[in-house]
């Protein structure tokens, strides 16, 4: 397959050899279970793994998990497949998976160190285990911004065969789903090398455009009304002002009976609107760094139908989250594998439900009240927000105009996962600024969860945990202290 070499050159040699080891393990399996995460990245990763196995004619099935714990591991073990392929999860428990015939292609912070960080003379775990572990963190690459779970899975997939290069759009989908383009407003690191491959193969278009959500499917008025990053003074949250703003630029809101979307505007109209929005932000005294956030690199699956939610990559990822976070991850998986019939229609209706669930949840969180401690802030939704979306809500709140951005947002939701004692799900979200000051939510959430008898992990900017319900105050106090010490280092 042409164009693959630059990507292979960008992958550190040790990581590529881990991917080759994973590829050998995959090729030699007679049947496999894919264990993956329920979110957009996890679903995209599973689609890559399924397509890879299908092309090798290896029997497989996919199981979705909100998180991996001892309970889910024993369920997987009892299935006794020839191979378990963990995608977008697994690294947080890698030390417990050493004796499993397994491949992990994940980007969460591993619970074991990178090879060169291990004690002198200590034999590498990979020398004697049945586990092949591919993870960017093990090679000094950020799993929060430079490679997603789907991206890592894709690297193993091209190690199986470079004919799998056509699966690269799914890797881009996972990275965008995990908001990995948030920091610099475009994909960076190994994500960028995967993107170049996809662009060269003519599968993805990357172009500078507005960063607001809904380029393909939202009426342009709604896109401006719901804008949040950057927030548009006088326009965000105000439909009438959004309408007047567009009409004032000579942009028609409707074409016949249907509302026009951003993607249906002419290039001239889009440029006029972007220039005017920039001028508006400047006139409202916004800093250049804020004004810059209006545009960024946007990704499009140009071969998909115009106006479809699977054409704009950000919208596609939200569609997948709508499926996965509401118990229908397999619908998202079918869409990823190409179903544009029943699965896509069901996806549409899940998307509508997801949107209203999020807006109700935002109201609930605000009504419960955000409480500030010294170094963190939190809200407790009790049983009123689903544990699968409470993290998204925490991130949305932290990104909204009227919330303090100097402390990470912690959120509680009652856990419905089976457990002997009542557990509570905790989600946390941070900002780039806090990360640059030394905050690492994955380390903090994992350590403090363990200290109160729970499990946790994730990324520096977004992490989660499940802890005994009656220990949440102790958890908050310990977390406040640890975040404080991270920030003062
Ligand atoms: O489990 P997984 O790695 O796929 O999820 C990553 C999570 O981190 C997503 O929920 C994503 O929205 C969140 N994230 C974030 N802000 C970022 C990067 C990731 O909230 N800048
Ligand atoms: O659930 P939530 O969206 O808040 O998760 C944020 C990040 O933390 C995700 O990447 C998720 O996979 C990770 N996480 C984890 N272990 C947990 C809970 C969440 O690694 N117990
Ligand atoms: Zn992920």
């Amino acid at each position: 397959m042409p164009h693959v070499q630059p990507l292979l050159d960008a992958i550190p040699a040790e990581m590529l050899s881990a991917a080759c080891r994973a590829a050998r393990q995959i090729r030699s399996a007679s049947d496999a279970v894919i264990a993956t995460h329920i979110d957009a990245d996890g679903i995209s990763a599973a689609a890559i793994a399924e397509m890879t196995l299908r092309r090798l004619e290896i029997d497989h099935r996919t199981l979705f998990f909100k998180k991996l714990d001892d309970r889910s591991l024993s369920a997987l073990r009892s299935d006794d497949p020839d191979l378990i392929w963990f995608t977008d999860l697994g690294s947080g428990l890698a030390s417990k998976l050493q004796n499993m015939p397994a491949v992990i292609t994940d980007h969460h912070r591993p619970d074991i160190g990178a090879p060169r960080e291990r004690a002198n003379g200590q034999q590498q775990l990979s020398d004697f285990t049945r586990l092949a572990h591919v993870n960017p963190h093990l090679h000094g690459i950020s799993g929060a911004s430079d490679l997603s779970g789907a991206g890592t899975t894709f690297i193993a997939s091209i190690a199986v065969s470079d004919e799998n290069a056509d699966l690269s759009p799914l890797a881009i989908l996972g990275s965008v789903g995990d908001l990995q383009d948030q920091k610099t407003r475009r994909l960076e690191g190994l994500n960028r090398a995967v993107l170049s491959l996809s662009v060269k193969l003519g599968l993805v278009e990357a172009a500078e455009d507005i960063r607001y959500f809904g380029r393909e499917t939202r009426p342009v008025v709604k896109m401006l009304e719901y804008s949040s990053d950057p927030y548009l003074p006088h326009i965000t949250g105000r439909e009438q002002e959004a309408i007047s703003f567009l009409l004032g630029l000579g942009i028609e809101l409707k074409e016949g009976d249907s509302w026009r979307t951003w993607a249906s505007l002419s290039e001239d109209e889009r440029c006029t609107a972007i220039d005017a929005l920039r001028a508006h932000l400047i006139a409202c005294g916004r800093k250049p760094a804020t004004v810059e956030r209006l545009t960024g690199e946007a990704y499009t699956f140009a071969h998909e139908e115009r106006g479809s939610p699977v054409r704009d990559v950000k919208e596609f990822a939200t569609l997948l989250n709508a499926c996965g976070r509401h118990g229908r991850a397999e619908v998202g998986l079918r869409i990823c594998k190409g179903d544009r019939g029943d699965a896509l229609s069901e996806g549409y209706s899940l998307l509508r439900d997801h949107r209203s669930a999020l807006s109700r949840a935002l109201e609930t969180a605000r009504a419960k009240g955000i409480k500030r401690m010294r170094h963190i802030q939190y809200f407790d939704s009790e049983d009123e927000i689903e544990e699968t979306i409470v993290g998204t809500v925490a991130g949305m709140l932290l990104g909204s105009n009227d919330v303090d951005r100097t402390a990470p947002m912690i959120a509680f939701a009652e856990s419905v996962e089976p457990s002997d004692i009542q557990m509570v799900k905790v989600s946390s979200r941070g900002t780039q600024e806090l990360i640059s000051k030394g905050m690492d939510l994955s380390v903090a959430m994992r350590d403090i969860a363990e200290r109160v008898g729970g499990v946790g992990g994730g990324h520096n900017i977004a992490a989660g945990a499940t802890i005994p319900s009656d220990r949440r105050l102790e958890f908050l106090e310990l977390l406040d202290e640890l975040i404080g010490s991270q920030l003062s280092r």
Side-chain angles (χ1 to χ4, degrees):
M1 176 73 73
H3 311 305
V4 176
Q5 198 55 45
L7 169 61
L8 297 179
D9 293 342
I11 302 169
E14 271 187 21
M15 185 174 180
L16 199 54
S17 75
C20 290
R21 188 160 186 262
R24 283 195 295 279
Q25 197 114 326
I26 292 163
R27 269 194 229 101
S28 65
S30 53
D31 68 308
V33 168
I34 299 162
T36 197
H37 193 210
I38 52 151
D39 73 353
D41 186 27
I43 297 171
S44 311
I48 295 171
E50 280 209 3
M51 298 293 288
T52 305
L53 292 166
R54 191 203 283 176
R55 289 170 182 181
L56 292 169
E57 297 180 6
I58 296 171
D59 274 347
H60 59 272
R61 64 196 189 94
T62 295
L63 299 175
F64 293 94
F65 296 92
K66 288 183 195 164
K67 64 174 192 307
L68 211 55
D69 54 16
D70 290 335
R71 193 181 282 262
S72 36
L73 281 186
S74 52
L76 279 166
R77 275 203 186 91
S78 67
D79 230 36
D80 199 27
D82 204 32
L83 172 74
I84 305 175
W85 187 348
F86 293 94
T87 64
D88 192 36
L89 42 68
S91 292
L93 287 183
S95 61
K96 291 189 178 173
L97 305 179
Q98 300 299 323
N99 296 320
M100 276 188 166
V103 164
I104 303 176
T105 51
D106 186 16
H107 69 137
H108 290 89
R109 178 175 288 279
D111 69 343
I112 50 175
R116 64 182 72 81
E117 284 169 14
R118 289 183 199 126
N120 274 347
Q122 188 189 334
Q123 203 170 8
Q124 291 197 4
L125 288 169
S126 61
D127 294 344
F128 52 84
T129 72
R130 296 197 289 165
L131 171 73
H133 188 185
V134 192
N135 184 311
H137 286 285
L138 298 174
H139 311 283
I141 294 171
S142 165
S145 58
D146 289 356
L147 197 65
S148 60
T152 312
T153 305
F154 174 67
I155 285 176
S157 175
I158 47 167
V160 169
S161 163
D162 61 9
E163 297 287 321
N164 292 329
D166 63 335
L167 305 178
S168 55
L170 291 164
I172 302 305
L173 182 56
S175 304
V176 169
D178 267 7
L179 309 183
Q180 297 205 324
D181 57 346
Q182 207 65 336
K183 189 168 159 187
T184 58
R185 297 171 289 117
R186 57 178 220 167
L187 291 170
E188 300 287 1
L190 282 181
N191 279 326
R192 201 145 192 91
V194 176
L195 175 69
S196 299
L197 170 61
S198 259
V199 170
K200 281 188 199 132
L201 293 173
L203 302 171
V204 176
E205 276 177 10
E208 200 68 9
D209 199 359
I210 200 147
R211 285 181 62 248
Y212 292 137
F213 184 81
R215 290 186 305 147
E216 285 289 337
T217 66
R218 247 186 198 168
V220 64
V221 173
K222 291 286 156 196
M223 189 177 92
L224 294 190
E225 183 188 340
Y226 295 142
S227 55
S228 69
D229 177 20
Y231 174 89
L232 294 169
H234 316 301
I235 297 176
T236 302
R238 299 186 189 184
E239 187 184 37
Q240 272 313 316
E241 272 77 356
I243 291 174
S244 320
F245 182 84
L246 290 164
L247 290 179
L249 299 175
I251 296 176
E252 286 301 325
L253 307 180
K254 282 187 151 186
E255 199 168 296
D257 283 342
S258 50
W259 292 98
R260 297 176 77 201
T261 62
W262 181 260
S264 73
L265 302 187
S266 70
E267 194 172 337
D268 272 358
E269 286 175 314
R270 287 199 297 265
C271 289
T272 305
I274 288 175
D275 288 346
L277 288 169
R278 268 203 196 109
H280 176 71
L281 285 166
I282 294 167
C284 293
R286 292 301 190 261
K287 294 189 196 113
T290 307
V291 181
E292 263 181 19
R293 297 196 65 76
L294 190 62
T295 55
E297 199 167 60
Y299 308 108
T300 308
F301 295 149
H303 52 280
E304 297 287 351
E305 204 180 307
R306 286 184 189 281
S308 155
V310 296
R311 191 174 154 95
D312 174 23
V313 179
K314 238 194 250 189
E315 291 188 78
F316 195 160
T318 303
L319 181 74
L320 294 182
N321 276 320
C323 298
R325 295 186 183 276
H326 299 281
R328 301 289 287 148
E330 67 284 357
V331 174
L333 182 57
R334 279 167 54 205
I335 300 172
C336 283
K337 290 188 292 179
D339 187 328
R340 297 290 176 267
D342 292 349
L344 187 57
S345 325
E346 187 174 348
Y348 259 125
S349 82
L350 287 161
L351 185 58
R352 276 191 293 273
D353 295 348
H354 183 52
R355 287 207 181 117
S356 50
L358 284 177
S359 80
R360 270 196 316 274
L362 272 169
E363 273 174 33
T364 303
R366 286 183 192 276
K368 296 273 175 192
I370 298 166
K371 297 177 187 74
R372 176 70 198 235
M373 296 177 70
R374 270 170 70 89
H375 306 286
I376 63 177
Q377 54 187 332
Y378 72 95
F379 68 88
D380 190 342
S381 73
E382 294 162 46
D383 60 354
E384 291 176 45
I385 297 181
E386 284 170 89
E387 62 174 310
T388 48
I389 62 166
V390 76
T392 309
V393 173
M396 288 169 86
L397 277 175
L398 203 53
S400 63
N401 192 43
D402 53 344
V403 169
D404 182 0
R405 284 178 61 81
T406 62
M409 182 68 72
I410 315 299
F412 293 94
E414 194 168 284
S415 175
V416 294
E417 291 286 274
S419 169
D420 301 333
I421 53 169
Q422 182 58 49
M423 301 295 270
V424 66
K425 161 76 190 293
V426 199
S427 279
S428 62
R429 295 291 186 273
T431 63
Q432 285 305 335
E433 201 172 346
L434 289 164
I435 304 304
S436 66
K437 289 181 179 157
M439 188 187 74
D440 187 332
L441 290 171
S442 69
V443 172
M445 294 286 280
R446 188 176 65 206
D447 289 0
I448 306 299
E450 275 169 16
R451 279 164 71 180
V452 302
V455 287
H459 308 289
N460 55 12
I461 196 151
T466 305
I467 61 164
S469 202
D470 57 2
R471 298 187 72 177
R472 69 185 87 187
L473 287 179
E474 187 186 351
F475 178 87
L476 280 169
E477 267 153 29
L478 290 169
L479 188 67
D480 193 40
E481 194 180 314
L482 181 56
I483 299 285
S485 76
Q486 286 184 344
L487 291 171
S488 67
R489 242 177 257 145

